[in-house]
Amino acid sequence: MSGEVLKRARYKTSVKDSGVAGVLKMTEDKFVFMPNDPTSSARFDVEFRFIKGHKFSKGGSNKPALLNLTQDSEKGGGYIFEFENYPDREVCREFVGKALAKFSEASKAGSEQSAVKLFDEQLSTIEMERRIKLLREDRHSVPEEKFGVLLLKGILPLFGETIIAMKLIDSGIASKVKWDCSELQKLHKQFVLSGVLTEAEFWATRKKLLDGNTSRTSKQRVGFKSAMISDLKPLTDGRTNRVTFNLTPEIIHQIFAEKPAVHQAFLNFVPNKMTEKDFWNKYCRAEYLHCTRNTVAAAAEAAEDEELAVFLKHDDILASEARRKIRRVDPTLDMEADQGDDYMHLPDHGIFRDGSKEIIDPQYEQYRRTLSQDLNRHAAVVLEGRPIDVELEDTRTVAEALAKSKRVEAANEKSDGSVTRERLERISRMTEIEDLQAPRDLPFAALCIKDPRDYFDSQQANALKTLGDTLAGSKQIKCSLSSQEAYGSLRGFISEIKSVGLSDPIVKPDIALKVLNGLTQNISSTKFHLGKNPQESVLDRLPIITKEELLHHWTSIQELLRHFWSSYPITTTYLYTKASRLKDAMSQIYPKLQEIKESVQSDFRHQVSLLVQPMLQRRRETLKRRRRSEPQEGPGGERTMGSIGTDLAVMERILELVKPILEHSKTEQEADQDHHQNQARAQHAHLTSTAHPVRFPLVPGSRENCSPLCGLVKMGVLLAFSLSDLREVGWRRRV
Amino acid sequence: MAPVPSKLYSDDVSLLVVLLDTNPFFWSTASLPFSKFLSHVLAFLNSILLINQLNQVVVIATGCNSCNFIFDSSSVPANPNLENGRMPALCSNLLQKLEEFVTGDEKLSKEVLAAGIGSSLLSGSLSMALCYIQRVFRTGPLHPQPRILCLQGSPDGPEQYVAVMNAIFSAQRSMVPIDSCVIGAQHSAFLQQASYITGGVYLKPQQLDGLFQYLSTVFATDLHSRRFLQLPKPAGVDFRASCFCHKNTIDMGYICSVCLSIFCKHHKKCSTCGSVFGQAQSDGNSATDRKRKTPET
């Protein structure tokens, strides 16, 4: 955010008021208005934190450029400024938007006061645009009108115009909306519309991401239009011989960029030799001659008027530039390869400007311009982009700015002498005759590996372990034979088969059956190795609906957790209620996971519970942390509780400490019970578990080893224990 | 070089390169006599050739001291008259070559009494197979789908590690699957990796006298049919590294930037390639620091 903005503006108390002229100065945290008339009372100095939002008028030719900074709703009113022009207003508007965004962020972070007010927060437009953009970007396949309604639902409440939104919903349009869209929209729907999170809370965690996006997009510069200026046709009115050309600053800029000769001529002639109007007249005349394709006439005119000739002849600057470029082309490029293509002998590759053919006398060659030349030039300019950053209003400034940027470019190129050297090197390298060159010795040191056996040994142990072989079992078999005897016996085997021939039958039927059975068993048993192979996700084997549901629950849990942690430390009642809302939402996910588990076929049930396991663990950790943060506010404030998570005794000690606080917070108590529940469950599980590590490919970062049995037991226990049961368990332990 | 798809036959024509382990030390101790083994394999080769008229079989013998082609179905004159009554021309031809190869291999052997069974030159025969396949790729308008089948008995040769791994990766790049059938007493870590990396089948038959059944059930399937079949697959390969110094499996360690050797603690000099390491970063707890090493060149 750049320091400050200073603009002329009129301060108005209402839109119709004529206003007081003065200067508006904005800095990062406040804005100051100083009227031109020192006696005027309309002088003020307001900090942005009192400003709740801003509105502005639509850009139009005759409407005034207004900016309205609205104050608190109860205080009413605001500050309306009228600017001299829209660009000024835009600058101020952006500045205000940033300042407000900063303040709303700051206020969200800490104070409860503003947090409560988040509900009726008036969003800045920029903010809202970002949200719309995010929802829009995220959607994949929602039809436009449906998306519109969706947007209304998502965005309208922000403006406090809930009534309209409600009407829309009532009218049944909204009921048609299918929220089958993206993750973000799903989450938005799930949490915001169900009231778990407020709109502001939902977006608060994504603000950073958005800011990054918008700042990047705003920096993008507009390039040239891809339409060619040759598309600009002279207009004739049919009755007189008058021909009209329309030149806009945009077109002039393009002409300058594409035709350096015109640009040069403009710089040379315009203020001294002729007026700008004359200059463009001449240019248009030349253009007209080109259009008529009357090269003879063009040549005649050029002979008379040397200034006109500039426009008609080939562009020398362009030509030299082209030559320079050609010099830089890779010397090994075979330009002749193209000559085999038949279209080369036709002018313009067989394409004619405006579809007509022209026959050219070689004498007037220099007055001819081909379409391909124009096309190429245009393409080059478009690709180069718009090098200058000035307003297009004044032709002279445009011309000068362009010239300046060209000079800089040329200077850069000249200073870059190494390019030429590199080019020469490349030529010599490419054209050399390999046989005659001395071997190029690159500086390298030979890799000398003393014993490649090490590589093998470091791998073998693991590899064999997975195959069920132990190194101890694979002791070397002693071979007592000398090599002579060994080879002899081998040859003996060969001659044996030579004399006996192939055994008949090759395989005995019962052995063949045994083998087949063995193979079949082997294949079906690989099913049970599922999940061990990190490259094969268990998820892929689940029915698609189940998979999606699981993933969705996973993202939901993560979203909830994100908000949960963002509200730490819980210092206020507002955060308490938020945290408990989140907790409730989280606990609703349990039965859903259970449902999924029950709905799948028995084949997959086991796998699903394996997948669900880490999610449950996730949650348990949350609850643990939640408890852990408590003692810090407790009267005895023990801060050295690093290893609480595992040590139940310490947990109980904290319980004692926190008890007075928990007394007046029901939700926290529940959390405790939940925690005990988890502890009890964990203990149960570990008693019955078998040490059989399984990997969870689903969740990156949570590859914990835990037994599948343990997972099932936990699930079972979780559902069997009601809260009251656990209260008992929990309290009894404490006693 | 990846095969150009348009050069493939539309039908499932296979080029099967069989690597036959002829380590005499292994066969003198193996539970399955070499002659029995040969009769299983010869029957299998015949059946491959019968499955599709255009199928091609190449057999490479993997000896202790050398490797060589002992059979190529494309170069054998299809002359049924040569049958000697007991076995087809194919087999006698192959056996003849095999005998010659064994004799040649013996001549190369140095009379050193090894403590155990030496390893066969798997890396050599794999390279020969891959070269042959590359030649097939580059000749003729159409080429069959190649695959390699290793019939391996002798234990892995650690000294061939680098060469074998190179061959495996080159097979992977040419999209040539390496099937492995381990006949020996122990599993082969080489072939397990080879099959895993190239997408082939690794199998260690339990019933060696039913070898033909294994071969024809599992390894006779061409690449096209494999898409529809469920072939035996291993539970997975453990690619965790163990350190070169103590052979411990480690999760985090030091890696020589020159030869990629792995160590569990910092050394001044790489024991594998001799590179001298620079001063280690002062015991920072970031993992990136630990990995950084500057070799001597």
Side-chain angles (χ1 to χ4, degrees):
Chain A
M1 193 147 131
S2 58
E4 59 173 58
V5 172
L6 197 65
K7 294 282 176 214
R8 278 181 192 287
R10 298 178 79 84
Y11 167 67
K12 299 173 160 193
T13 47
S14 72
V15 181
K16 280 168 191 147
D17 186 19
S18 63
V20 186
V23 176
L24 177 65
K25 180 178 167 189
M26 292 181 174
T27 59
E28 270 182 47
D29 48 2
K30 62 177 186 176
F31 63 92
V32 181
F33 181 75
M34 283 168 292
N36 292 347
D37 175 10
T39 59
S40 166
S41 63
R43 172 192 299 275
F44 47 81
D45 179 343
V46 184
E47 287 187 37
F48 272 123
R49 63 190 167 92
F50 297 119
I51 299 302
K52 290 295 162 232
H54 66 289
K55 294 174 180 165
F56 52 91
S57 56
K58 282 259 163 59
S61 51
N62 46 5
K63 282 193 231 157
L66 293 177
L67 178 67
N68 184 2
L69 302 177
T70 52
Q71 237 172 343
D72 270 7
S73 45
E74 59 259 45
K75 281 187 201 163
Y79 304 93
I80 302 173
F81 298 101
E82 182 185 336
F83 291 90
E84 286 175 341
N85 51 28
Y86 277 96
D88 274 4
R89 208 278 313 274
E90 283 305 300
V91 170
C92 287
R93 184 173 71 83
E94 231 156 76
F95 192 87
V96 170
K98 279 181 190 163
L100 289 184
K102 205 179 115 205
F103 271 96
S104 69
E105 213 171 295
S107 61
K108 261 178 231 164
S111 78
E112 184 201 348
Q113 181 200 1
S114 64
V116 176
K117 279 183 183 148
L118 283 175
F119 288 101
D120 53 4
E121 176 204 32
Q122 272 254 328
L123 281 166
S124 70
T125 335
I126 295 173
E127 184 83 11
M128 194 196 62
E129 276 167 6
R130 282 183 203 152
R131 289 181 188 181
I132 295 176
K133 197 173 149 224
L134 199 67
L135 282 173
R136 194 191 291 273
E137 271 175 2
D138 221 42
R139 107 200 120 107
H140 299 305
S141 58
V142 194
E144 199 62 46
E145 65 277 277
K146 283 188 182 171
F147 181 67
V149 179
L150 186 150
L151 264 185
L152 275 178
K153 270 172 93 177
I155 303 301
L156 277 181
L158 307 179
F159 283 119
E161 292 172 291
T162 339
I163 308 151
I164 304 174
M166 289 315 290
K167 272 185 191 160
L168 275 172
I169 293 165
D170 283 348
S171 68
I173 306 168
S175 61
K176 287 179 201 153
V177 178
K178 271 192 212 149
W179 291 71
D180 60 344
C181 14
S182 66
E183 212 90 298
L184 187 63
Q185 281 173 6
K186 270 189 194 164
L187 289 176
H188 185 268
K189 177 203 173 196
Q190 189 178 351
F191 296 131
V192 177
L193 298 189
S194 66
V196 174
L197 291 168
T198 65
E199 191 76 36
E201 282 164 359
F202 183 78
W203 290 105
T205 49
R206 293 198 161 69
K207 184 167 265 161
K208 289 286 181 298
L209 181 99
L210 273 176
D211 285 348
N213 279 350
T214 43
S215 64
R216 220 180 310 128
T217 47
S218 64
K219 269 179 207 145
Q220 188 183 5
R221 294 194 304 180
V222 187
F224 273 114
K225 282 181 193 155
S226 55
M228 282 181 64
I229 38 176
S230 59
D231 294 344
L232 180 85
K233 285 277 167 58
L235 305 168
T236 49
D237 57 7
R239 281 172 298 184
T240 59
N241 280 337
R242 199 190 170 93
V243 178
T244 321
F245 282 88
N246 266 331
L247 286 176
T248 65
E250 181 83 16
I251 292 172
I252 289 174
H253 181 203
Q254 208 167 345
I255 290 171
F256 282 160
E258 289 191 17
K259 299 177 181 174
V262 176
H263 179 215
Q264 192 58 43
F266 183 87
L267 288 175
N268 290 343
F269 299 153
V270 165
N272 317 322
K273 246 180 151 178
M274 58 178 88
T275 64
E276 195 178 327
K277 193 159 186 285
D278 288 342
F279 178 83
W280 290 119
N281 271 338
K282 247 189 213 332
Y283 174 77
C284 292
R285 179 157 180 75
E287 275 303 296
Y288 183 68
L289 284 171
H290 273 301
C291 299
T292 53
R293 262 179 302 280
N294 189 345
T295 41
V296 186
E301 294 239 10
E304 280 169 27
D305 187 345
E306 59 173 282
E307 280 121 34
L308 192 64
V310 172
F311 301 131
L312 288 174
K313 282 188 184 169
H314 277 295
D315 198 325
D316 286 338
I317 302 172
L318 258 187
S320 70
E321 204 173 295
R323 273 195 295 278
R324 201 163 43 88
K325 274 183 189 160
I326 288 173
R327 272 203 302 278
R328 280 190 300 180
V329 169
D330 190 325
T332 56
L333 183 68
D334 186 5
M335 303 283 274
E336 286 188 358
D338 270 358
Q339 282 185 348
D341 297 341
D342 190 42
Y343 58 77
M344 285 294 282
H345 68 270
L346 293 167
D348 277 359
H349 299 264
I351 310 162
F352 301 104
R353 194 192 285 266
D354 305 328
S356 64
K357 212 171 173 147
E358 53 187 318
I359 311 295
I360 289 293
D361 192 332
Q363 185 194 341
Y364 303 114
E365 180 68 26
Q366 59 169 334
Y367 297 107
R368 196 177 64 107
R369 268 192 327 213
T370 65
L371 177 62
S372 50
Q373 276 168 353
D374 281 357
L375 268 175
N376 283 338
R377 177 63 197 159
H378 176 72
V381 169
V382 168
L383 283 178
E384 273 165 21
R386 184 194 294 255
I388 52 166
D389 252 340
V390 287
E391 289 298 321
L392 294 177
E393 307 293 338
D394 184 26
T395 323
R396 181 77 202 168
T397 31
V398 171
E400 271 161 7
L402 203 59
K404 204 166 133 198
S405 76
K406 283 232 168 114
R407 273 200 296 279
V408 172
E409 223 168 86
N412 280 347
E413 239 160 65
K414 261 176 210 155
S415 66
D416 209 7
S418 63
V419 176
T420 337
R421 199 160 4 99
E422 200 179 283
R423 200 178 130 258
L424 287 173
E425 267 172 25
R426 197 167 60 194
I427 293 177
S428 68
R429 204 165 56 232
M430 300 302 286
T431 53
E432 77 188 14
I433 300 165
E434 277 162 27
D435 304 2
L436 300 182
Q437 295 294 320
R440 207 188 306 280
D441 26 58
L442 298 164
F444 70 89
L447 175 63
C448 114
I449 288 177
K450 280 182 193 144
D451 192 359
R453 233 170 289 209
D454 283 345
Y455 288 102
F456 176 74
D457 291 343
S458 76
Q459 284 255 317
Q460 197 192 25
N462 282 323
L464 294 185
K465 232 179 278 163
T466 44
L467 290 170
D469 240 16
T470 51
L471 277 179
S474 66
K475 57 181 189 310
Q476 294 280 346
I477 304 154
K478 188 89 177 167
C479 177
S480 51
L481 297 170
S482 74
S483 69
Q484 209 177 349
E485 288 166 322
Y487 278 106
S489 79
L490 193 65
R491 271 201 302 272
F493 283 131
I494 296 171
S495 47
E496 183 191 325
I497 191 176
K498 265 184 166 175
S499 57
V500 176
L502 300 181
S503 53
D504 186 26
I506 300 165
V507 188
K508 291 195 191 82
D510 54 330
I511 291 175
L513 184 66
K514 233 175 171 178
V515 169
L516 270 178
N517 282 339
L519 280 173
T520 321
Q521 246 170 31
N522 180 326
I523 288 165
S524 55
S525 75
T526 45
K527 257 190 195 170
F528 300 110
H529 292 294
L530 273 175
K532 275 187 176 174
N533 187 350
Q535 309 219 325
E536 198 179 305
S537 170
V538 179
L539 269 183
D540 294 337
R541 300 181 66 98
L542 294 175
I544 254 178
I545 300 171
T546 318
K547 178 183 166 185
E548 274 178 3
E549 261 180 77
L550 277 174
L551 287 176
H552 175 62
H553 283 307
W554 180 249
T555 45
S556 310
I557 290 176
Q558 278 180 328
E559 179 73 17
L560 285 171
L561 281 180
R562 185 197 302 217
H563 289 287
F564 194 83
W565 291 125
S566 70
S567 53
Y568 263 96
I570 300 181
T571 47
T572 64
T573 46
Y574 171 74
L575 288 174
Y576 259 138
T577 45
K578 183 184 168 189
S580 60
R581 260 189 290 132
L582 289 166
K583 202 210 76 166
D584 292 343
M586 195 86 116
S587 58
Q588 280 166 16
I589 294 178
Y590 274 96
K592 283 183 194 153
L593 288 176
Q594 179 63 10
E595 251 171 55
I596 293 177
K597 214 189 93 176
E598 275 166 6
S599 66
V600 294
Q601 293 166 18
S602 57
D603 286 7
F604 297 121
R605 194 165 298 170
H606 175 63
Q607 292 161 27
V608 172
S609 51
L610 290 185
L611 291 173
V612 163
Q613 179 58 33
M615 297 195 207
L616 298 183
Q617 280 186 345
R618 262 278 149 126
R619 191 183 165 242
R620 199 166 63 216
E621 275 159 28
T622 312
L623 296 173
K624 266 187 214 165
R625 272 292 291 281
R626 186 187 171 117
R627 288 177 35 72
R628 213 178 296 174
S629 74
E630 290 303 321
Q632 301 192 345
E633 334 153 20
E638 287 202 23
R639 281 160 196 276
T640 51
M641 298 295 173
S643 60
I644 297 163
T646 48
D647 193 350
L648 196 65
V650 185
M651 302 289 302
E652 281 163 8
R653 167 107 182 93
I654 298 160
L655 254 185
E656 303 267 303
L657 286 172
V658 178
K659 203 182 164 194
I661 305 166
L662 296 183
E663 226 69 303
H664 49 81
S665 164
K666 175 80 173 70
T667 51
E668 284 308 299
Q669 213 157 353
E670 273 172 21
D672 283 340
Q673 286 147 15
D674 262 4
H675 180 73
H676 277 287
Q677 177 182 3
N678 287 313
Q679 286 288 331
R681 219 188 301 145
Q683 297 214 333
H684 249 265
H686 286 300
L687 287 177
T688 48
S689 69
T690 53
H692 183 60
V694 170
R695 287 193 171 176
F696 301 99
L698 164 68
V699 189
S702 70
R703 289 197 166 180
E704 292 145 87
N705 283 350
C706 82
S707 83
L709 192 57
C710 161
L712 278 177
V713 170
K714 283 178 189 173
M715 271 303 262
V717 173
L718 168 80
L719 294 156
F721 278 47
S722 72
L723 273 180
S724 57
D725 288 340
L726 275 149
R727 187 173 297 146
E728 269 178 45
V729 174
W731 292 119
R732 211 181 303 134
R733 277 185 168 281
R734 245 186 70 226
V735 176
Chain B
M1 172 176 290
V4 185
S6 60
K7 281 184 81 180
L8 286 172
Y9 286 102
S10 58
D11 206 355
D12 323 324
V13 178
S14 308
L15 161 60
L16 180 66
V17 184
V18 180
L19 310 185
L20 209 62
D21 192 354
T22 63
N23 186 339
F25 303 102
F26 164 73
W27 285 114
S28 59
T29 56
S31 55
L32 179 76
F34 190 55
S35 51
K36 278 267 170 21
F37 169 75
L38 277 180
S39 80
H40 284 287
V41 172
L42 288 174
F44 169 67
L45 297 182
N46 265 327
S47 55
I48 291 285
L49 291 174
L50 284 172
I51 286 173
N52 190 324
Q53 210 180 359
L54 292 167
N55 275 359
Q56 192 188 339
V57 170
V58 174
V59 182
I60 300 173
T62 314
C64 275
N65 309 297
S66 61
C67 307
N68 211 347
F69 292 95
I70 53 171
F71 178 73
D72 186 342
S73 67
S74 67
S75 62
V76 170
N79 196 346
N81 300 335
L82 273 176
E83 270 186 55
N84 62 2
R86 262 190 299 278
M87 62 179 69
L90 179 163
C91 300
S92 53
N93 201 318
L94 189 151
L95 290 172
Q96 185 61 40
K97 279 278 192 60
L98 183 59
E99 206 163 12
E100 285 164 23
F101 169 77
V102 171
T103 317
D105 197 42
E106 187 182 2
K107 276 182 194 147
L108 288 169
S109 75
K110 296 169 198 92
E111 193 62 45
V112 179
L113 275 175
I117 304 168
S119 55
S120 315
L121 287 174
L122 178 65
S123 58
S125 57
L126 266 179
S127 312
M128 284 174 95
L130 288 167
C131 288
Y132 186 92
I133 287 167
Q134 284 301 327
R135 200 186 74 192
V136 171
F137 278 159
R138 283 149 210 240
T139 47
L142 289 172
H143 63 73
Q145 284 259 39
R147 64 180 195 269
I148 298 174
L149 170 61
C150 294
L151 295 170
Q152 189 75 5
S154 36
D156 291 334
E159 65 285 345
Q160 297 176 44
Y161 179 79
V162 178
V164 169
M165 288 313 283
N166 282 340
I168 291 172
F169 289 127
S170 119
Q172 181 197 26
R173 220 173 111 71
S174 333
M175 297 198 278
V176 176
I178 300 177
D179 296 333
S180 1
C181 183
V182 177
I183 302 144
Q186 325 160 23
H187 278 287
S188 160
F190 278 161
L191 291 177
Q192 193 205 359
Q193 291 209 27
S195 299
Y196 184 81
I197 292 170
T198 58
V201 182
Y202 174 89
L203 187 71
K204 185 171 179 298
Q206 302 303 315
Q207 303 274 333
L208 278 182
D209 39 0
L211 182 65
F212 175 75
Q213 188 63 48
Y214 284 105
L215 290 174
S216 54
T217 314
V218 178
F219 298 106
T221 47
D222 57 70
L223 299 186
H224 182 71
S225 321
R226 284 184 193 196
R227 277 186 268 162
F228 320 114
L229 294 172
Q230 196 161 21
L231 294 174
K233 49 182 161 189
V237 178
D238 190 348
F239 287 115
R240 276 178 310 169
S242 39
C243 63
F244 283 32
C245 34
H246 307 92
K247 313 282 180 247
N248 295 330
T249 308
I250 51 171
D251 291 323
M252 203 193 296
Y254 297 86
I255 295 179
C256 171
S257 54
V258 175
C259 67
L260 304 180
S261 305
I262 302 159
F263 304 103
C264 59
K265 59 183 173 47
H266 180 248
H267 290 254
K268 289 209 174 85
K269 199 175 166 194
C270 173
S271 62
T272 311
C273 69
S275 303
V276 177
F277 299 135
Q279 195 59 48
Q281 305 274 325
S282 60
D283 278 353
N285 43 2
S286 78
T288 49
D289 277 356
R290 292 193 201 179
K291 282 181 195 154
R292 221 180 268 161
K293 289 282 158 287
T294 39
E296 194 196 25
T297 55

